[in-house]
Amino acid sequence: MGRRKSKVKVVKKVRRKTAKIFDCPFCNHKRTVECSIDHKVKTAKVSCRVCAASYQMETNSLTEPIDVFSQWVDETEALNEKDGEDEGEYGGYAESSDKKGETGDDVDGDYGPGQEVDDDNDDYGEDY
């Protein structure tokens, strides 16, 4: 008598899928940028659900969502570099660490222009 032939288990290779949802480079929210590709019209659109930043481009049959998102980021960086040449060392979109405006006034609006904090308790009057 012979043995039964053992069944060989088929091991499926896990195929990684490319992402269709990304992190927004403008508002820094996680998983808010969606990419949609219309191959019939040959256009792709990337848009953020939170800050409404969007980008649209022409596609071909090989275009993937990551390609559209990468193109959007690359063009944004190219525009920032182009604007940065005219603005100085930090570019037009860099934020300074201090909260003072060009005149040295407090930007938060806590005090009026040219006003300073008075730490003396002499100005309270006799009611206190």
Side-chain angles (χ1 to χ4, degrees):
M1 296 207 337
R3 299 177 82 196
R4 288 190 181 186
K5 195 172 189 181
S6 64
K7 293 184 180 180
V8 178
K9 293 183 180 179
V10 177
V11 179
K12 292 184 180 179
K13 292 183 181 178
V14 178
R15 188 171 179 201
R16 295 187 61 165
K17 296 180 182 178
T18 57
K20 293 183 181 180
I21 300 176
F22 307 98
D23 301 338
C24 183
F26 297 106
C27 65
N28 294 327
H29 282 89
K30 302 285 183 192
R31 300 182 50 85
T32 58
V33 176
E34 293 180 342
C35 179
S36 60
I37 299 175
D38 188 1
H39 289 288
K40 291 180 183 178
V41 185
K42 294 186 179 182
T43 60
K45 184 175 182 181
V46 179
S47 61
C48 177
R49 293 186 306 247
V50 176
C51 67
S54 63
Y55 175 73
Q56 188 171 357
M57 66 176 274
E58 293 182 9
T59 63
N60 58 27
S61 61
L62 299 176
T63 303
E64 294 289 330
I66 188 69
D67 299 328
V68 179
F69 180 75
S70 298
Q71 181 70 26
W72 180 38
V73 171
D74 291 344
E75 286 196 18
T76 303
E77 288 177 356
L79 286 175
N80 285 341
E81 287 178 7
K82 181 180 175 185
D83 290 342
E85 292 172 358
D86 299 335
E87 297 294 327
E89 182 180 349
Y90 297 108
Y93 300 105
E95 295 181 12
S96 61
S97 60
D98 59 347
K99 289 190 165 192
K100 299 285 183 180
E102 292 178 5
T103 60
D105 298 330
D106 192 356
V107 177
D108 289 335
D110 295 339
Y111 305 103
Q115 291 181 350
E116 294 183 13
V117 178
D118 188 14
D119 291 334
D120 296 338
N121 294 334
D122 299 344
D123 296 337
Y124 289 120
E126 296 180 19
D127 294 333
Y128 293 98

